[in-house]
C-alpha cells in the first residue's frame, strides 16, 4: 500500500491537539470503515479505548498508515459530519497558494478554493459593478482588476492600503449645507452632521490559534477600502481596524456602544472576516455575533437605527439555483419606551448554512453590490430598499469553478430587520459618484 503523503502527515501532526480535542473518533472510525480506509480491526481498536480522547488519539495513530487516499477521505468525512473548523485546519495550503496566485474564486470562509464566474445582470447590457470579466471566468465583485473569488474565510485581492494593527481612520467630507429633515413619525431623523459612527472591522491575516493561519483573506482590503470611502462620503465618522483579535473585537464594539450619540443620528458596523453559522473570526478564534451586536442595546442609542453588515460564511453548503420567472405599520415614537431589540437591521452576505463568495482582487459579491447600489441611490432610497437591490445583484451570480462539487453555485444575502421607520442615509453632499469614476 502506498503511504500517506509526507505533507499530509505533517498537517495531521500539526493539527493533532485540535483534532484530539474536538473529533468524534468513534463515529469517524465507522465512516472510515464504510469507505474502506479502516479495516474492521482498525475500527475495533479505536472503539476499545476507554475515553473519547484516547479514541481520537488511536484513530490519528492509525490513519497515516492507511494509504495515500486516507487524508482526503478523512477531510471529506469531517465535512460530512459538519466538523468544519477541523476540515479548515487540514486544508492543503500549497494548493491554496497556487490557486490564489492564479486568481481563483473561493468561498468566503476557508474551504476549497474555486474559480467562478457571474452571469450578466439582466438590467444592463454591460457588466455591472458586481460582475466579473467573463474572459477570466471569475465571479463576484466590482471590476477592479484581475482576481480570484473565494469563500469568505479565505482569499482576497491585494489593496494598496497596508494592513496595520488596530488604527482608527477618521475622515469627513465638507458639508455643503444640504439638510434633510423628514417626518420623524415615518422616517428616522437624519439631520446631524456627522451622521453617525461607522465601525469597520477587517480581518485578513489570522494567527495559529484560530486554525486559519494558512488562509489569509487576500483581497478583503478591496471591500474595506470601498466601504470606508462610501461611508465617509455618506457623512459618517469612519473607524477602521485591520487584523484584530477576538478580545479587540469585543473591546472595540463595547467602546463604540458606550459613545455619546446625542449629536449623531445612527450607528453602522461592517465585519469582514471568516465565519461559521452564528460566529465570526477574530485573528485568534471566533466570537459570537450576538455578543458583538448585543453591546448596542443601551440607552444611548435608543430609538436610533443601527445597521450591521457581515461579509463571512455561515456554513459550508453550496447553494443551488432554480429557474424561475418573476411575477409586493406606522409606529409613532413619541413614547420612547421601546423594545431593546428595536431599530436594528442586519445584512449577512449569505444565509445560515452556506458559503459566501469573494473575489481576491475585485471584492466580494455582497459588499461590492452594496457599494454600487448605495452610491447610486443613497440620496433617494431607504436602506432596506437598497439592501434588497444589492441582493438582486448578488442573486444574478453563479460560480463556474470547473469542479463538479462547486460549479454553478449561487448566493443570496439575508436581511433581518427590526427597524420601525424608514432609514435613509442622505449623503450631505448630495448624490454620490460611482466608486470607479
Amino acid at each position: 500500500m502506498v503511504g500517506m503523503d509526507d505533507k499530509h502527515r505533517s498537517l495531521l501532526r500539526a493539527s493533532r491537539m485540535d483534532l484530539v480535542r474536538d473529533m468524534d473518533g468513534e463515529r469517524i472510525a465507522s465512516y472510515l470503515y464504510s469507505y474502506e480506509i479502516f479495516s474492521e480491526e482498525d475500527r475495533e481498536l479505536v472503539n476499545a479505548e476507554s475515553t473519547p480522547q484516547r479514541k481520537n488519539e488511536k484513530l490519528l495513530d492509525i490513519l497515516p498508515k492507511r494509504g495515500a487516499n486516507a487524508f482526503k477521505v478523512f477531510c471529506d468525512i469531517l465535512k460530512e459530519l459538519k466538523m468544519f473548523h477541523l476540515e479548515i485546519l487540514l486544508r492543503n495550503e500549497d494548493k491554496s497558494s497556487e490557486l490564489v496566485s492564479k486568481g481563483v474564486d473561493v468561498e468566503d470562509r476557508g474551504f476549497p478554493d474555486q474559480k467562478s464566474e457571474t452571469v450578466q445582470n439582466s438590467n444592463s447590457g454591460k457588466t455591472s459593478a458586481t460582475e466579473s470579466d467573463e474572459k477570466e471566468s471569475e465571479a463576484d465583485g466590482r471590476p477592479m482588476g484581475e482576481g480570484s473569488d473565494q469563500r469568505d474565510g479565505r482569499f482576497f485581492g491585494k489593496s494598496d492600503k497596508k494592513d496595520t494593527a488596530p488604527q482608527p481612520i477618521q475622515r469627513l467630507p465638507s458639508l455643503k449645507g444640504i439638510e434633510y429633515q423628514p417626518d420623524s413619525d415615518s422616517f428616522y431623523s437624519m439631520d446631524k452632521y456627522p451622521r453617525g459612527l461607522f465601525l469597520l472591522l477587517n480581518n485578513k491575516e489570522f494567527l495559529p490559534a484560530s486554525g486559519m493561519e494558512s488562509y489569509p483573506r487576500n483581497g478583503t482590503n478591496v471591500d474595506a477600502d470601498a466601504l470606508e470611502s462610501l461611508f465617509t462620503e455618506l457623512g459618517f465618522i469612519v473607524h477602521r481596524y485591520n487584523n484584530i483579535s477576538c478580545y479587540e473585537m469585543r473591546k472595540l464594539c463595547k467602546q463604540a456602544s458606550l459613545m455619546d450619540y446625542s449629536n449623531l443620528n445612527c450607528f453602522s458596523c461592517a465585519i469582514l472576516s471568516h465565519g461559521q453559522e452564528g460566529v465570526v473570526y477574530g485573528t485568534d478564534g471566533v466570537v459570537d455575533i450576538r455578543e458583538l451586536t448585543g453591546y448596542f442595546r443601551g440607552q444611548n442609542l435608543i430609538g436610533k437605527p443601527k445597521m450591521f453588515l457581515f461579509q463571512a460564511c455561515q456554513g459550508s453548503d453550496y447553494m443551488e439555483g432554480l429557474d424561475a420567472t418573476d411575477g409586493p405599520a406606522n409606529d409613532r415614537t413619541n413614547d420612547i419606551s421601546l423594545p431593546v431589540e428595536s431599530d436594528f437591521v442586519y445584512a449577512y452576505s449569505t444565509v445560515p448554512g452556506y458559503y459566501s463568495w469573494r473575489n481576491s482582487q475585485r471584492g466580494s459579491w455582497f459588499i461590492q453590490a452594496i457599494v454600487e447600489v448605495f452610491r447610486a441611490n443613497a440620496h433617494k432610497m431607504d436602506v432596506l430598499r437598497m439592501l434588497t437591490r444589492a441582493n438582486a445583484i448578488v442573486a444574478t451570480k453563479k460560480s463556474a469553478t470547473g469542479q463538479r462539487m462547486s460549479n454553478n453555485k449561487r448566493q443570496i444575502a439575508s436581511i433581518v430587520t427590526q427597524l420601525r421607520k424608514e432609514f435613509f442615509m442622505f449623503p450631505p453632499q448630495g448624490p454620490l459618484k460611482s466608486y470607479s469614476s
Side-chain angles (χ1 to χ4, degrees), residues 184 187-189 192 256-267 293-307 331-344 418-421:
S184 62
F187 304 84
Y188 289 106
S189 178
K192 306 293 186 184
S257 73
L258 296 175
M259 282 180 52
D260 180 4
Y261 287 87
S262 58
N263 290 316
L264 300 172
N265 292 121
C266 61
F267 170 79
T293 60
Y295 293 123
F296 297 90
R297 300 190 186 103
Q299 186 70 31
N300 58 336
L301 277 164
I302 190 73
K304 298 187 177 186
K306 299 161 279 279
M307 180 175 75
D331 182 10
R332 301 186 64 85
T333 58
N334 293 332
D335 183 357
I336 203 61
S337 176
L338 298 171
V340 295
E341 297 284 358
S342 65
D343 308 302
F344 283 85
Q418 285 127 231
L419 297 177
R420 298 173 298 109
K421 305 179 183 183

Side-chain angles (χ1 to χ4, degrees), residues 109 152-154 202-218 220 243-244 249 272-275 280-285 358:
R109 159 102 191 281
D152 214 340
R154 269 303 190 104
N202 175 45
N203 286 337
K204 174 184 176 181
E205 307 289 346
F206 297 84
L207 300 171
S210 70
M212 306 294 285
E213 72 274 17
S214 299
Y215 312 119
R217 299 180 64 249
N218 299 317
T220 186
N243 296 330
I244 55 176
M249 292 177 76
L272 318 178
S273 190
H274 290 307
V280 289
Y281 276 82
T283 56
D284 57 349
R358 168 177 41 84

Side-chain angles (χ1 to χ4, degrees), residues 179-182 188-195 264-265:
E179 289 293 340
Y180 301 90
Q181 297 181 348
Y188 289 106
S189 178
M190 198 57 61
D191 59 347
K192 306 293 186 184
Y193 185 85
R195 300 293 191 223
L264 300 172
N265 292 121

Side-chain angles (χ1 to χ4, degrees), residues 25 79 131 154 157 168 241 271 320 358 389 397 429:
K79 182 175 182 179
E131 292 171 338
R154 269 303 190 104
Y241 298 85
I271 298 178
E320 304 292 345
R358 168 177 41 84
R389 292 200 178 189
K397 302 183 178 302
Q429 295 177 300

Side-chain angles (χ1 to χ4, degrees), residues 94-327:
D94 288 341
K95 181 179 179 182
S96 302
S97 300
E98 177 186 352
L99 290 171
V100 170
S101 68
K102 292 180 178 179
V104 170
D105 298 341
V106 286
E107 303 89 4
D108 214 351
R109 159 102 191 281
F111 288 98
D113 311 339
Q114 321 292 346
K115 191 158 189 175
S116 63
E117 66 181 354
T118 55
V119 296
Q120 193 114 15
N121 187 335
S122 59
N123 297 326
S124 173
K126 64 179 181 179
T127 303
S128 75
T130 57
E131 292 171 338
S132 59
D133 188 344
E134 290 187 21
K135 293 186 299 181
E136 309 251 325
S137 292
E138 296 174 357
D140 112 26
R142 172 184 303 280
M144 299 175 68
E146 311 306 324
S148 64
D149 293 329
Q150 305 153 6
R151 295 168 298 192
D152 214 340
R154 269 303 190 104
F155 304 95
F156 232 169
K158 195 173 183 181
S159 106
D160 293 333
K161 192 179 191 77
K162 181 181 180 182
D163 277 9
T164 61
Q167 182 177 0
I169 300 168
Q170 301 185 35
R171 294 203 301 263
L172 291 171
S174 59
L175 182 62
K176 294 189 175 180
I178 300 175
E179 289 293 340
Y180 301 90
Q181 297 181 348
D183 178 5
S184 62
D185 287 339
S186 301
F187 304 84
Y188 289 106
S189 178
M190 198 57 61
D191 59 347
K192 306 293 186 184
Y193 185 85
R195 300 293 191 223
L197 171 67
F198 178 58
L199 180 62
L200 175 54
L201 307 181
N202 175 45
N203 286 337
K204 174 184 176 181
E205 307 289 346
F206 297 84
L207 300 171
S210 70
M212 306 294 285
E213 72 274 17
S214 299
Y215 312 119
R217 299 180 64 249
N218 299 317
T220 186
N221 289 336
V222 176
D223 278 350
D225 291 348
L227 286 172
E228 182 184 335
S229 177
L230 170 66
F231 277 86
T232 295
E233 294 179 54
L234 286 171
F236 282 74
I237 302 168
V238 177
H239 285 194
R240 173 175 170 176
Y241 298 85
N242 298 312
N243 296 330
I244 55 176
S245 67
C246 296
Y247 168 78
E248 290 168 325
M249 292 177 76
R250 294 184 180 100
K251 180 180 178 181
L252 290 168
C253 285
K254 188 171 184 179
Q255 287 177 341
S257 73
L258 296 175
M259 282 180 52
D260 180 4
Y261 287 87
S262 58
N263 290 316
L264 300 172
N265 292 121
C266 61
F267 170 79
S268 292
C269 175
I271 298 178
L272 318 178
S273 190
H274 290 307
Q276 299 176 26
E277 187 169 345
V279 300
V280 289
Y281 276 82
T283 56
D284 57 349
V286 296
V287 185
D288 194 297
I289 289 174
R290 283 189 58 82
E291 179 181 358
L292 298 179
T293 60
Y295 293 123
F296 297 90
R297 300 190 186 103
Q299 186 70 31
N300 58 336
L301 277 164
I302 190 73
K304 298 187 177 186
K306 299 161 279 279
M307 180 175 75
F308 289 85
L309 307 174
F310 297 96
Q311 174 57 41
C313 278
Q314 291 204 68
S316 64
D317 289 342
Y318 291 106
M319 187 176 296
E320 304 292 345
L322 294 173
D323 293 333
T325 302
D326 282 338

